[in-house]
Amino acid sequence: MTQNGNIPFVDLVTPHRELQEELVQSFRAVLDTAGFIGGPAVEGFESEFAAYCDAKHCIGVSSGTDALRFALMAAGINAGDIVLTVPLTFIATTEAISQAGAQIDFIDVDPRTYTMDPEQLRQYLETRCAVDPASGMLIHKVLGKPVRAVVPVHLYGQMADMDPILELAELYNLVVVEDACQAHGAEYFSKKENRWRKAGSMGRAAGFSFYPGKNLGACGEGGAVTTNDPALARMVSMLRDHGQSKKYYHDLEGYNGRLDALQAGLLRIKLRHLTKWNEQRRECARLYNELLAPFADAMVTPYQPSCSNPVYHLYVIRTGNRDALQRHLTQAGIGTGIHYPIPVHLQKAYAQRWSRGDFPMCEEAADQILSLPMFPGLSSSEQGRVVEAVAEFIRSSPAVSVGVRTRALA
Ligand SMILES: Cc1ncc(COP(=O)(O)O)c(C=O)c1O
């Protein structure tokens, strides 16, 4: 709670205050050696984060956007290839695809989980594409280009339904790059393998963001690629560092996209707390679910399939009267967010290609979703106050539309 009694949407001050001594010491260690680029802090973080994700390799980069771009490029995505993702995401997902030289196309989301709907992916591949007998490539019938990759987004800390996505990818020879930027530590139970799998370990590669507000956040910008493929890992480490295979030997033109040693040192300290922080987020989600259960007619709480163990980067409810509810909570001193109010395909940047109606599940969600305060350290009394304010709104407002329940969730 802030000094004026408000409840923030996210609290980034307290965890840094609690870890201040350790963080400052790590900062001093880097200053003392002036090893700002690469070195033991970066390598140490990379091996610890790879282990955390159950992945063989981790390559630290400068942001989640670069992580996705480098992963796609290193997986061999070429100019003119089509890469599929979802329209309910942050624009960085599609920027990374375009910046890798590829053309974006979208698959709508499952309205319960907000992640890629595997059935819609299947329909897209079966009806809009055909295998070219000469090249054996899967070609989009209208766009005339090869469909080469799919980027499922593990949105709000919940992994996409990976089993059917991976099965389709195998069938159609597509590269899968997970957008795990919001899902550090999230798990998915693979029925195919009969075991839990971590975000960042299932696709050919994955991109993570360490933007400060993420479950694992740097004190600035940062990101990472995880992969089990040593050749892909090697290519990402060249791409992030001007295409160098060793100092001043440039096998290709790359980018300046490294994770710096100061951030890596700070991330190493914070990584030790990530399991506990994720568990605290799950606890908060459980309590919200319980407290909001009596209002099931007026809103939908997050859906957690049995194959999913999410890390609740965000706790997102859904209601037909979202804007008025958000105004009410703001007046009550409660911070909220909308992730995201405008689907990517309706952004001005993409106005020539798509319009309203193209991805109805995503569009309906974008009009109704509201992210409530969620962070490790959010107390049960604060959650009680949030829910009390929600209840007050529901009691005082005319019948709230719950079309969402009957239509999308039928
Ligand atoms: C789903 C998603 N993808 C990609 C990114 C990009 O990460 P970054 O901001 O570190 O470039 C973000 C972060 O905001 C994200 O939430």
Side-chain angles (χ1 to χ4, degrees):
M1 206 179 301
T2 55
Q3 271 174 348
N4 55 11
N6 290 351
I7 301 173
F9 174 60
V10 63
D11 174 14
L12 293 184
V13 175
T14 309
H16 293 100
R17 202 176 276 145
E18 283 168 6
L19 297 176
Q20 200 175 67
E21 266 320 301
E22 261 186 287
L23 295 172
V24 169
Q25 255 179 38
S26 151
F27 199 99
R28 279 211 193 91
V30 176
L31 286 182
D32 283 345
T33 59
F36 297 113
I37 305 294
V42 175
E43 283 161 22
F45 172 69
E46 288 174 339
S47 64
E48 286 157 15
F49 193 65
Y52 181 83
C53 297
D54 291 341
K56 290 203 175 93
H57 307 274
C58 166
I59 308 95
V61 297
S62 52
S63 68
T65 314
D66 270 357
L68 294 168
R69 171 168 58 150
F70 296 159
L72 287 165
M73 294 175 86
I77 299 310
N78 297 310
D81 290 344
I82 294 172
V83 175
L84 306 174
T85 190
V86 285
L88 191 63
T89 184
F90 183 56
I91 193 169
T93 315
T94 52
E95 285 173 331
I97 295 170
S98 301
Q99 289 165 10
Q103 180 166 343
I104 310 152
D105 212 353
F106 291 112
I107 304 295
D108 209 347
V109 294
D110 178 320
R112 295 165 303 170
T113 59
Y114 311 117
T115 57
M116 184 176 281
D117 182 343
E119 201 35 53
Q120 301 240 20
L121 174 63
R122 180 189 305 280
Q123 277 172 28
Y124 180 102
L125 298 170
E126 282 176 358
T127 62
R128 298 209 203 162
C129 308
V131 177
D132 173 42
S135 63
M137 283 176 134
L138 185 71
I139 306 292
H140 191 287
K141 290 189 219 164
V142 175
L143 300 171
K145 292 177 178 172
V147 178
R148 294 279 321 283
V150 53
V151 181
V153 179
H154 302 328
L155 200 72
Y156 308 151
Q158 172 146 276
M159 285 179 72
D161 192 1
M162 292 300 284
D163 272 354
I165 292 172
L166 288 170
E167 196 181 301
L168 287 165
E170 202 179 317
L171 192 64
Y172 289 99
N173 201 16
L174 307 175
V175 169
V176 175
V177 172
E178 300 167 63
D179 182 338
C181 287
Q182 300 188 3
H184 320 66
E187 292 174 317
Y188 174 86
F189 188 81
S190 166
K191 285 204 189 81
K192 193 173 164 223
E193 299 178 43
N194 197 29
R195 64 178 174 129
W196 286 94
R197 301 287 309 262
K198 277 264 184 82
S201 71
M202 293 195 79
R204 177 89 179 280
F208 286 89
S209 165
F210 304 126
Y211 188 76
K214 299 294 195 248
N215 288 30
L216 178 63
C219 301
E221 303 281 355
V225 174
T226 55
T227 182
N228 291 322
D229 177 342
L232 190 144
R234 174 102 188 107
M235 182 57 95
V236 170
S237 58
M238 287 203 286
L239 284 169
R240 74 168 170 185
D241 196 15
H242 301 288
Q244 292 191 123
S245 51
K246 60 182 179 175
K247 200 165 174 71
Y248 300 134
Y249 285 75
H250 304 272
D251 294 8
L252 44 102
E253 266 190 10
Y255 299 83
N256 182 350
R258 298 170 295 242
L259 176 68
D260 69 67
L262 283 172
Q263 297 303 338
L266 303 173
L267 283 165
R268 283 183 95 176
I269 293 164
K270 294 175 83 178
L271 179 57
R272 291 181 212 134
H273 299 268
L274 183 56
T275 302
K276 171 189 73 193
W277 287 336
N278 280 344
E279 200 39 58
Q280 288 172 353
R281 286 174 183 272
R282 288 180 180 129
E283 274 303 320
C284 289
R286 275 193 278 272
L287 184 59
Y288 269 142
N289 290 344
E290 193 185 307
L291 298 175
L292 290 169
F295 310 107
D297 286 345
M299 71 175 52
V300 177
T301 52
Y303 173 64
Q304 184 178 323
S306 58
C307 64
S308 171
N309 188 18
V311 288
Y312 289 97
H313 173 56
L314 297 169
Y315 184 91
V316 178
I317 60 165
R318 204 167 157 168
T319 172
N321 218 351
R322 187 267 314 278
D323 293 339
L325 173 59
Q326 185 176 40
R327 278 194 299 276
H328 178 82
L329 293 177
T330 306
Q331 273 157 19
I334 294 164
T336 56
I338 300 174
H339 303 88
Y340 296 90
I342 303 174
V344 177
H345 69 284
L346 297 180
Q347 295 288 348
K348 214 166 162 186
Y350 301 122
Q352 302 96 326
R353 275 202 66 194
W354 293 283
S355 49
R356 189 160 270 279
D358 286 344
F359 302 101
M361 292 305 160
C362 163
E363 290 165 21
E364 192 177 51
D367 291 340
Q368 298 178 330
I369 48 183
L370 185 68
S371 310
L372 298 182
M374 168 56 80
F375 49 89
L378 179 67
S379 70
S380 46
S381 65
E382 287 170 321
Q383 289 191 265
R385 271 192 48 206
V386 173
V387 174
E388 188 39 48
V390 170
E392 213 174 78
F393 172 79
I394 291 169
R395 282 194 296 265
S396 67
S397 56
V400 179
S401 151
V402 285
V404 52
R405 279 194 85 71
T406 44
R407 273 210 288 154
L409 306 183

